[in-house]
């Protein structure tokens, strides 16, 4: 329950900062909470880590936006803590989200002509990596001892869960 509430609040803060409208932010956060994939994560797959990672997506976008726009004082710290949160809840989601966050940062940095903000975001990245280092460093150093093929092969392979065009139409 707390995951739904916290992710809704995080999305509300992001959208209210971007659009300056409480109504749009409220509607957007409701959509973010009630999108069907969220129910599948919780009630079908039972993927608590993936579900909780959804709290940190809007926060990462919000705090990078606030750093670039130079709004507020502690955004670098909050960005680092949000980054640490996503590393600790579901590290694969952080990899999947990284290109979108990078594009967001590049876009707003170019729009605002604030290249100095990239140093602040880099500092936030160091804070995030530092505060989650107890998990991230062993993950990187001991990856040769983990058999990931059992997590992606056989039944768990994504190819097993998509129908072919022939199956779809005939």
């Amino acid at each position: 329950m707390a995951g739904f509430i916290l992710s809704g609040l995080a999305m509300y803060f992001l959208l209210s900062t971007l659009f300056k409208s409480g109504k749009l932010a409220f509607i957007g956060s409701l959509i973010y909470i009630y999108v069907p994939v969220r129910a599948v994560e919780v009630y079908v797959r039972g993927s608590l880590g993936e579900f909780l990672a959804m709290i940190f997506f809007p926060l990462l976008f919000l705090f990078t936006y606030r750093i670039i726009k130079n709004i507020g004082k502690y955004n670098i710290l909050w960005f680092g803590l949000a980054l640490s949160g996503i590393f600790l809840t579901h590290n694969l989601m952080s990899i999947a989200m990284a290109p979108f966050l990078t594009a967001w940062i590049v876009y707003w940095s170019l729009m605002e002509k604030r290249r100095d903000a990239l140093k602040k975001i880099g500092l936030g990245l160091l804070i995030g990596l530092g505060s989650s280092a107890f998990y991230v460093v062993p993950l990187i150093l001991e990856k040769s001892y983990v058999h990931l093929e059992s997590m992606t092969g056989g039944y768990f392979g994504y190819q097993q869960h998509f129908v072919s065009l022939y199956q779809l139409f005939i």
Side-chain angles (χ1 to χ4, degrees):
M1 184 67 149
F4 284 114
I5 294 169
L6 291 174
S7 64
L9 284 173
M11 183 57 77
Y12 179 83
F13 290 136
L14 172 64
L15 294 176
S16 65
T17 301
L18 287 176
F19 298 118
K20 311 282 191 270
S21 170
K23 289 180 183 178
L24 283 175
F26 182 73
I27 292 168
S29 64
L30 282 179
I31 291 171
Y32 188 66
I33 290 172
Y34 290 112
V35 70
V37 71
R38 303 291 302 278
V40 170
E41 286 173 349
V42 176
Y43 301 117
V44 176
R45 294 180 51 232
S47 178
L48 183 63
E50 193 174 327
F51 173 69
L52 292 176
M54 300 293 278
I55 297 169
F56 299 105
F57 289 149
L59 293 176
L60 290 171
F61 286 94
L62 172 67
F63 293 127
T64 53
Y65 178 80
R66 289 176 61 95
I67 289 169
I68 293 168
K69 289 278 201 170
N70 206 16
I71 303 169
K73 227 172 148 177
Y74 299 104
N75 293 314
I76 297 170
L77 175 65
W78 290 117
F79 171 66
L81 292 176
L83 199 57
S84 176
I86 200 165
F87 287 152
L88 295 175
T89 54
H90 201 274
N91 57 354
L92 292 177
M93 293 290 278
S94 65
I95 294 170
M97 182 264 323
F100 300 105
L101 185 63
T102 303
W104 172 268
I105 292 168
V106 168
Y107 173 77
W108 283 110
S109 296
L110 292 174
M111 291 299 290
E112 296 295 318
K113 298 176 179 65
R114 297 273 324 269
R115 298 195 199 284
D116 62 325
L118 296 178
K119 291 179 186 175
K120 294 178 181 178
I121 292 171
L123 179 61
L125 178 65
L126 288 177
I127 291 170
L129 286 172
S131 60
S132 61
F134 68 92
Y135 177 73
V136 174
V137 171
L139 178 75
I140 293 169
L141 294 178
E142 298 177 0
K143 68 180 175 186
S144 63
Y145 302 114
V146 178
H147 299 284
L148 292 177
E149 65 275 357
S150 66
M151 300 288 289
T152 59
Y155 173 78
F156 298 108
Y158 71 91
Q159 301 93 345
Q160 301 296 326
H161 302 282
F162 289 101
V163 296
S164 67
L165 288 175
Y166 179 78
Q167 292 170 324
L168 186 64
F169 293 111
I170 298 181

Coordinates of all heavy atoms in Angstrom, one line a residue, residues 10 14 34 42 59 72 78 82 96 100 111 115 118 121 127-129 131 136 142-143 154:
A10 N 5.3 10.9 -5.4 CA 6.5 11.3 -6.2 C 6.1 11.8 -7.6 O 6.6 12.8 -8.0 CB 7.4 10.1 -6.3
L14 N 6.6 15.7 -9.2 CA 7.2 15.9 -10.5 C 6.3 16.7 -11.4 O 6.7 17.7 -12.0 CB 7.6 14.6 -11.1 CG 8.1 14.6 -12.6 CD1 9.4 15.4 -12.7 CD2 8.3 13.3 -13.2
Y34 N -2.5 3.8 -11.2 CA -3.4 2.7 -11.6 C -3.1 2.2 -13.0 O -4.0 1.5 -13.6 CB -4.9 3.3 -11.6 CG -5.4 3.5 -10.2 CD1 -5.6 4.8 -9.7 CD2 -5.6 2.4 -9.4 CE1 -6.0 4.9 -8.4 CE2 -6.0 2.6 -8.1 CZ -6.2 3.8 -7.6 OH -6.7 4.0 -6.3
V42 N 2.5 -6.3 -8.6 CA 2.2 -6.7 -7.2 C 1.4 -7.9 -7.1 O 1.7 -8.8 -6.4 CB 1.4 -5.5 -6.6 CG1 1.0 -5.8 -5.2 CG2 2.2 -4.2 -6.6
L59 N 11.2 10.7 -8.8 CA 12.1 11.5 -8.0 C 13.4 11.8 -8.7 O 13.9 12.9 -8.6 CB 12.3 10.7 -6.7 CG 11.1 10.6 -5.7 CD1 11.5 9.7 -4.5 CD2 10.6 11.9 -5.3
G72 N 15.9 25.3 -5.2 CA 16.2 24.6 -3.9 C 17.6 24.4 -3.6 O 18.5 24.7 -4.4
W78 N 19.3 14.8 -2.4 CA 18.0 14.1 -2.6 C 18.1 13.2 -3.9 O 17.7 12.1 -3.9 CB 16.8 15.0 -2.7 CG 16.4 15.6 -1.4 CD1 16.4 16.9 -1.0 CD2 16.0 14.8 -0.2 NE1 16.0 17.0 0.3 CE2 15.8 15.8 0.8 CE3 15.8 13.5 0.1 CZ2 15.4 15.4 2.1 CZ3 15.4 13.1 1.4 CH2 15.2 14.1 2.3
A82 N 17.8 9.2 -4.0 CA 16.8 8.5 -4.8 C 17.6 7.5 -5.8 O 17.1 6.5 -6.0 CB 16.1 9.6 -5.7
A96 N 17.7 0.0 -17.1 CA 16.7 0.2 -18.1 C 16.2 1.7 -18.2 O 15.9 2.2 -19.2 CB 15.4 -0.6 -17.9
F100 N 16.8 7.0 -20.5 CA 15.8 8.0 -20.5 C 16.2 9.2 -19.6 O 15.9 10.3 -19.9 CB 14.5 7.4 -20.1 CG 14.0 6.3 -21.0 CD1 14.1 5.0 -20.6 CD2 13.5 6.6 -22.2 CE1 13.7 4.0 -21.4 CE2 13.0 5.6 -23.1 CZ 13.1 4.3 -22.7
M111 N 18.5 23.1 -23.0 CA 17.4 24.1 -23.0 C 17.8 25.3 -22.0 O 17.5 26.4 -22.3 CB 16.1 23.5 -22.6 CG 15.5 22.5 -23.6 SD 15.2 23.3 -25.2 CE 13.9 24.4 -24.8
R115 N 25.6 23.9 -18.3 CA 26.5 22.8 -18.3 C 27.1 22.6 -17.0 O 27.6 21.5 -16.7 CB 27.6 23.1 -19.4 CG 27.0 23.2 -20.8 CD 28.1 23.1 -21.8 NE 27.7 23.6 -23.1 CZ 26.9 23.0 -23.9 NH1 26.4 21.9 -23.6 NH2 26.6 23.6 -25.1
L118 N 25.8 19.6 -14.8 CA 26.2 18.3 -15.0 C 27.2 17.9 -13.9 O 27.3 16.7 -13.5 CB 26.9 18.1 -16.4 CG 25.9 18.3 -17.6 CD1 26.6 18.2 -18.9 CD2 24.7 17.4 -17.5
I121 N 25.1 17.0 -10.9 CA 24.4 15.7 -11.1 C 25.5 14.6 -10.9 O 25.2 13.6 -10.4 CB 23.7 15.7 -12.5 CG1 22.5 16.6 -12.5 CG2 23.3 14.3 -12.8 CD1 21.9 16.8 -13.8
I127 N 27.1 10.4 -4.7 CA 26.4 10.2 -3.4 C 25.6 8.9 -3.5 O 25.6 8.1 -2.6 CB 25.6 11.4 -3.1 CG1 26.5 12.6 -2.8 CG2 24.6 11.1 -2.0 CD1 25.7 13.9 -2.6
G128 N 24.9 8.7 -4.6 CA 24.1 7.5 -4.8 C 24.9 6.3 -4.8 O 24.5 5.3 -4.2
L129 N 26.0 6.3 -5.6 CA 26.8 5.1 -5.6 C 27.5 4.8 -4.3 O 27.6 3.7 -3.8 CB 27.9 5.2 -6.7 CG 27.4 5.1 -8.1 CD1 28.5 5.4 -9.1 CD2 26.9 3.7 -8.4
S131 N 26.4 5.7 -1.2 CA 25.4 5.2 -0.2 C 24.9 3.8 -0.5 O 24.3 3.2 0.4 CB 24.3 6.2 0.0 OG 23.6 6.4 -1.2
V136 N 26.3 -2.4 -4.5 CA 26.7 -2.2 -5.9 C 28.1 -2.8 -6.1 O 28.4 -3.5 -7.1 CB 26.6 -0.8 -6.3 CG1 27.2 -0.5 -7.7 CG2 25.2 -0.3 -6.2
E142 N 31.7 -9.4 -8.1 CA 31.4 -10.9 -8.0 C 30.4 -11.4 -9.1 O 29.8 -12.4 -8.9 CB 30.9 -11.2 -6.6 CG 31.9 -10.9 -5.6 CD 31.4 -11.2 -4.2 OE1 30.3 -11.6 -4.0 OE2 32.2 -11.0 -3.2
K143 N 30.3 -10.6 -10.2 CA 29.3 -11.0 -11.2 C 29.7 -12.3 -11.9 O 28.9 -13.0 -12.4 CB 29.1 -9.9 -12.2 CG 30.3 -9.5 -13.0 CD 30.0 -8.4 -14.0 CE 31.2 -8.0 -14.7 NZ 31.0 -6.9 -15.5
G154 N 15.2 -20.4 -20.8 CA 14.1 -21.3 -20.6 C 12.8 -20.6 -20.4 O 12.5 -19.7 -21.2

